[in-house]
Amino acid sequence: RHAQNLIAVSESVKTILANAFPTLRDKIVVIPNWLSSQAVLNLKTREEARNHFKINRPFALAVVGQITPLKGQHLVLEVVRRMVTQNCAADLEVYIFGQSQPKDYAYEQEVRALAHKPELKNHIHFLGAVPHLASYLSAFDIVVAPSINEGFSIAAIEAMNAGAVVIASNIGGLSEIIEHERTGILFPVGEINALKDALLRVMNDESLRVSIASSAQLYARTTSLYAGAGSRYCTDRNAGR
């Protein structure tokens, strides 16, 4: 009751907080997580980044985040499995970044087991936690965020900054970050066929990839860069006094 403000990283989180603390509803301020200026200044060229990860195929896809059912890594592997069986994944490599917490270790083992199936084992790479990953996301044409729930995704913002096309679940903070078909592609949560269609569409339509990547990078650098988000924090904090 003595709080001057409550800070939410997205409108969806604001709604959750408002329901949890109805007496503080008027004190909730939305301040999204921001993109570090170092993520812009230290961004590697596409060639440097691809060489860093030894990427050989024309298309590289990344999934970034803690390995947990809520992040939905299994959805991406199932999509790629279906693409392989339909002979439309020969040009695609998938890189999974992140680790699991002890409570999700069994899930990680399930995901790894799926990745080792014969049709997938030459397409999937697990790289764990990689230092300064934001600087190397320029290696990837596509970053998929298949979350079942997401308050905000700094990984999506960093991918947009790096020039990747983000394909994400239409939920929570992701749907606030991404404008469908302008700064990314949204698909219904958990819908494997919709995710597959979105991935194939982005891979097969170069003009769409270029358009989305350009718009997304501009959005990340003008809306989410530290200076802009930080100034909004100061303004809103002072306004709440």
Side-chain angles (χ1 to χ4, degrees):
R1 66 184 179 182
H2 300 295
Q4 292 182 340
N5 292 109
L6 290 180
I7 302 217
V9 295
S10 65
E11 291 290 341
S12 64
V13 172
K14 178 181 178 179
T15 299
I16 294 171
L17 289 175
N19 291 334
F21 306 103
T23 60
L24 299 176
R25 183 182 301 271
D26 294 337
K27 294 185 176 182
I28 302 172
V29 178
V30 176
I31 306 289
N33 291 330
W34 51 66
L35 177 69
S36 165
S37 59
Q38 294 303 309
V40 177
L41 295 173
N42 295 334
L43 187 65
K44 305 301 182 183
T45 66
R46 175 178 169 83
E47 182 179 6
E48 288 174 328
R50 284 177 64 89
N51 287 340
H52 181 76
F53 294 119
K54 298 179 173 60
I55 297 172
N56 297 312
R57 289 189 172 101
F59 286 102
L61 180 156
V63 184
V64 181
Q66 183 177 319
I67 299 179
T68 171
L70 287 176
K71 293 293 185 181
Q73 286 91 351
H74 64 285
L75 298 173
V76 176
L77 298 193
E78 176 58 24
V79 164
V80 176
R81 188 192 68 79
R82 294 184 186 189
M83 290 173 60
V84 170
T85 61
Q86 295 169 8
N87 297 315
C88 52
D91 290 339
L92 181 65
E93 286 187 89
V94 177
Y95 291 76
I96 297 179
F97 297 94
Q99 298 172 323
S100 63
Q101 295 294 321
K103 66 183 180 65
D104 292 319
Y105 180 71
Y107 172 74
E108 180 177 355
Q109 295 307 108
E110 291 175 9
V111 171
R112 287 180 176 272
L114 177 58
H116 280 94
K117 288 190 173 184
E119 62 268 37
L120 285 180
K121 64 180 182 180
N122 294 323
H123 291 271
I124 312 297
H125 310 271
F126 288 85
L127 296 188
V130 174
H132 313 297
L133 178 59
S135 298
Y136 291 92
L137 289 177
S138 48
F140 301 98
D141 306 278
I142 300 165
V143 172
V144 177
S147 302
I148 308 304
N149 189 23
E150 191 76 63
F152 188 89
S153 175
I154 192 63
I157 291 292
E158 290 173 341
M160 293 161 77
N161 167 66
V165 175
V166 177
I167 301 176
S169 300
N170 188 9
I171 193 169
L174 288 168
S175 61
E176 297 173 38
I177 295 168
I178 295 169
E179 182 180 344
H180 183 56
E181 297 185 339
R182 194 182 77 83
T183 58
I185 299 289
L186 296 170
F187 69 95
V189 178
E191 291 288 338
I192 290 176
N193 286 332
L195 174 54
K196 179 170 72 72
D197 290 345
L199 181 54
L200 286 171
R201 182 183 176 198
V202 171
M203 289 176 63
N204 293 329
D205 190 336
E206 182 179 5
S207 64
L208 180 68
R209 287 199 312 274
V210 171
S211 175
I212 289 178
S214 177
S215 296
Q217 189 174 67
L218 180 63
Y219 171 86
R221 294 183 178 184
T222 57
T223 305
S224 299
L225 194 61
Y226 172 81
S231 65
R232 275 185 289 155
Y233 168 76
C234 294
T235 299
D236 289 346
R237 186 167 182 263
N238 290 334
R241 289 181 173 175

